[in-house]
Amino acid sequence: MTLAVLLIPLLLPCVAPLLTCRILGRCSPVAALWTLTASALLLAAGSVAALGTLALTGLFKIPAFAPLGELVHPLRTPTVRLVLPLAALAAGLLVLAALTLGRSVVRQTTALRTARSQADRRPPAGDLCVVESPHPDAYALPGRPHRIVVTTAMLRSLDAREREALFAHERAHNAGGHHYFLAAAELAAHCHPALRPVRETIRLAAERAADEAAATAVGDRRLTARAIARAALAAHASDTSRLVVTPAATTGPVPQRVAALLSPATRSSRATSWIAALLAVCALASCATAATVALSVHQDIEVAQGEAGR
């Protein structure tokens, strides 16, 4: 195993933020959402596999743990003085990622259950659930059935047509399953710190996709832009906290979203296709490299187990 090869899946995610920011503004939001999310997951998988392979290699280099792998010969690796510190660092990073991810999952699951319980106690009007609150807020609540939760303060902040645009936006989130994309982005961000900016771009892509769907549903891009701007201003004034997996029209860089709605719909260019292809190549190269190294380590373990000559 060449330790330098393991650096490839760990370094490739650092390139992703440079590419993702160029994709969203130059192609359709739905295409960008799928491309960014899939690439982020592949890059995260490659980095985790590389760290796991390195940690496992270091573990089997420790004599006390060699019997766990049924090793009868020493495992062929570079010098122990190099492998063990790197393996310890890899194991520490994996543990840290698992702890932070677990804490995030527990916090988000608890908050989501609370929000769902509160919504279920309210008499729904179709998929709409109105909550009495002085804080303007509205969001798409995943689950079965899908709900759109809106507070009375938010309803008072918008006129009738703006409410229609806001509801269309939140329905687009539920119809598009955007909470799955947001959850995947959160997972990837915990696996590699370089993917955190990508997470924010994925969130923006989900909002842009819902913006475009709402504009199509109400047939007025300017009305949709006005509704989003007014809802965001109202929610910002109340400083409402937001769950990761409950997308809302009031999140993300609202001025950028409003400007996109007030501009003609974006069409993909050849340059954008090349950028998306480059991002896909980076993601696939990360996974392929990690898988190749893992297979090489597996073969080295079989040799150390004395199985290669059988």
Side-chain angles (χ1 to χ4, degrees), residues 106-189:
V106 170
R107 183 174 66 252
Q108 295 296 325
T109 300
T110 302
L112 188 59
R113 286 178 177 174
T114 301
R116 189 75 199 184
S117 176
Q118 291 175 348
D120 289 341
R121 289 199 298 266
R122 305 282 180 176
D127 62 347
L128 184 64
C129 179
V130 179
V131 177
E132 183 71 35
S133 173
H135 304 292
D137 195 14
Y139 55 89
L141 186 61
R144 289 289 184 268
H146 291 318
R147 291 287 181 84
I148 299 171
V149 179
V150 60
T151 64
T152 52
M154 178 62 79
L155 293 178
R156 289 193 294 267
S157 300
L158 306 176
D159 63 31
R161 297 184 66 210
E162 291 168 347
R163 294 173 194 165
E164 180 184 356
L166 178 66
F167 297 158
H169 176 101
E170 304 303 347
R171 288 190 177 99
H173 277 313
N174 281 333
H178 292 169
H179 51 285
Y180 294 118
F181 294 93
L182 299 183
E186 188 71 12
L187 171 63

Side-chain angles (χ1 to χ4, degrees), residues 21-305:
C21 62
R22 298 175 180 271
I23 293 177
L24 179 57
R26 303 181 184 182
C27 69
S28 71
V30 174
L33 183 60
W34 278 97
T35 301
L36 297 177
T37 305
S39 299
L41 286 176
L42 289 174
L43 289 168
S47 63
V48 169
L51 290 175
T53 300
L54 184 55
L56 181 63
T57 302
L59 181 68
F60 285 158
K61 290 295 291 184
I62 301 175
F65 291 99
L68 294 177
E70 300 180 354
L71 305 184
V72 296
H73 304 295
L75 188 63
R76 294 181 302 177
T77 62
T79 175
V80 175
R81 294 182 179 179
L82 178 62
V83 171
L84 289 183
L86 291 177
L89 177 61
L93 292 175
L94 286 174
V95 170
L96 179 62
L99 289 176
T100 56
L101 177 61
R103 184 173 59 182
S104 176
V105 168
V106 170
R107 183 174 66 252
Q108 295 296 325
T109 300
T110 302
L112 188 59
R113 286 178 177 174
T114 301
R116 189 75 199 184
S117 176
Q118 291 175 348
D120 289 341
R121 289 199 298 266
R122 305 282 180 176
D127 62 347
L128 184 64
C129 179
V130 179
V131 177
E132 183 71 35
S133 173
H135 304 292
D137 195 14
Y139 55 89
L141 186 61
R144 289 289 184 268
H146 291 318
R147 291 287 181 84
I148 299 171
V149 179
V150 60
T151 64
T152 52
M154 178 62 79
L155 293 178
R156 289 193 294 267
S157 300
L158 306 176
D159 63 31
R161 297 184 66 210
E162 291 168 347
R163 294 173 194 165
E164 180 184 356
L166 178 66
F167 297 158
H169 176 101
E170 304 303 347
R171 288 190 177 99
H173 277 313
N174 281 333
H178 292 169
H179 51 285
Y180 294 118
F181 294 93
L182 299 183
E186 188 71 12
L187 171 63
H190 283 284
C191 293
H192 198 294
L195 295 176
R196 292 173 185 172
V198 181
R199 171 183 60 187
E200 302 308 315
T201 307
I202 291 174
R203 290 177 179 174
L204 176 56
E207 294 304 324
R208 284 284 300 114
D211 290 343
E212 293 295 332
T216 301
V218 300
D220 191 334
R221 298 179 67 86
R222 187 170 295 274
L223 169 64
T224 305
R226 185 173 71 247
I228 290 170
R230 293 190 62 182
L233 286 174
H236 178 72
S238 65
D239 193 24
T240 304
S241 60
R242 168 69 48 229
L243 288 173
V244 170
V245 294
T246 53
T250 56
T251 58
V254 175
Q256 181 178 343
R257 292 167 51 201
V258 170
L261 281 170
L262 296 178
S263 303
T266 304
R267 293 185 178 181
S268 300
S269 64
R270 181 172 298 181
T272 304
S273 300
W274 280 109
I275 295 172
L278 180 57
L279 179 61
V281 167
C282 290
L284 292 174
S286 175
C287 285
T289 303
T292 300
V293 175
L295 180 60
S296 175
V297 171
H298 176 71
Q299 292 173 345
D300 289 342
I301 291 175
E302 287 186 337
V303 171
Q305 291 172 336

